[in-house]
Amino acid sequence: MIDDVQLDREPIPGATGVRAGASYVLGPRAGGVRYDYVRISTWTHRHQTPHINYVARGLPLGFMEGSDMDRHEASWTGFPLRYVTARAWLAYERRGELDIVRDPYRLREFPHHWCFPWGVVEKVVEGGVAARLQPWRNVLLEGGPQWRHRRDAGHVEGKSAAELVGHVGLSIAADSSVHRP
């Protein structure tokens, strides 16, 4: 993805985004492994005038995770038992201070020497496991823990934060149909 139109004005730093991945199937029950890489440069989905940034109702229109970031993620998805899907993942992310999600109205400045990612870079390592059980057609149970550690949290140098969260969910769907001759 390229968001880098250059007209007859001063040069603008590059605005590009890349999302690439590779996957490998291990077998019918063993599932598969996947690696993903995402890089959204500092000025992607931003405009020189902040009130026309690519944001609607607080959500970025270009990429859900915002801009000025890159992320590596490795995951495994498998089917260890009948009606059970399991997933495990580990990710490393770097996020600069010019993220459009957290700062959509910042005036665009043009120092060309700014590097990617910009400013005090928040580094995040996270991992987790999840399982999903579907014992009947209309019932779905899911849950699992996730761990996240942030260095230079909130773009404050030297600040660290760690969290362990879990989720449990139950979904029940009802359907009906009417057949008429």
Side-chain angles (χ1 to χ4, degrees):
M1 191 276 306
I2 299 174
D3 172 24
D4 202 8
V5 176
Q6 305 267 337
L7 300 174
D8 57 349
R9 59 182 177 196
E10 61 183 299
I12 299 172
T16 56
V18 174
R19 184 174 189 162
S23 57
Y24 181 75
V25 177
L26 301 169
R29 277 230 179 280
V33 292
R34 180 164 181 84
Y35 169 79
D36 285 300
Y37 175 70
V38 175
R39 176 188 167 126
I40 309 294
S41 72
T42 306
W43 299 119
T44 306
H45 311 305
R46 283 189 169 270
H47 194 273
Q48 188 171 2
T49 311
H51 67 273
I52 56 176
N53 274 335
Y54 304 104
V55 175
R57 296 185 181 108
L59 298 173
L61 299 178
F63 182 65
M64 208 56 188
E65 296 296 322
S67 58
D68 198 21
M69 58 82 69
D70 69 345
R71 179 181 176 93
H72 301 266
E73 181 174 332
S75 63
W76 165 82
T77 303
F79 311 96
L81 301 170
R82 189 172 184 186
Y83 308 119
V84 175
T85 303
R87 181 174 188 264
W89 72 94
L90 183 63
Y92 174 73
E93 178 179 305
R94 296 182 307 159
R95 183 173 296 280
E97 288 188 49
L98 289 179
D99 176 21
I100 197 169
V101 173
R102 293 176 178 91
D103 184 17
Y105 302 109
R106 182 182 184 125
L107 286 173
R108 188 169 181 171
E109 302 142 1
F110 289 99
H112 296 287
H113 63 280
W114 280 3
C115 60
F116 167 83
W118 182 80
V120 177
V121 179
E122 182 179 75
K123 297 163 194 78
V124 179
V125 175
E126 68 180 357
V129 293
R132 177 179 285 177
L133 170 66
Q134 188 170 4
W136 301 283
R137 183 174 63 99
N138 295 358
V139 177
L140 185 69
L141 293 139
E142 59 185 338
Q146 179 178 345
W147 171 80
R148 174 181 289 173
H149 181 268
R150 299 182 312 160
R151 200 170 84 209
D152 297 331
H155 306 289
V156 176
E157 213 165 328
K159 182 179 177 185
S160 290
E163 59 188 1
L164 177 65
V165 295
H167 75 279
V168 175
L170 170 65
S171 300
I172 301 173
D175 61 354
S176 65
S177 62
V178 176
H179 299 281
R180 296 181 189 206

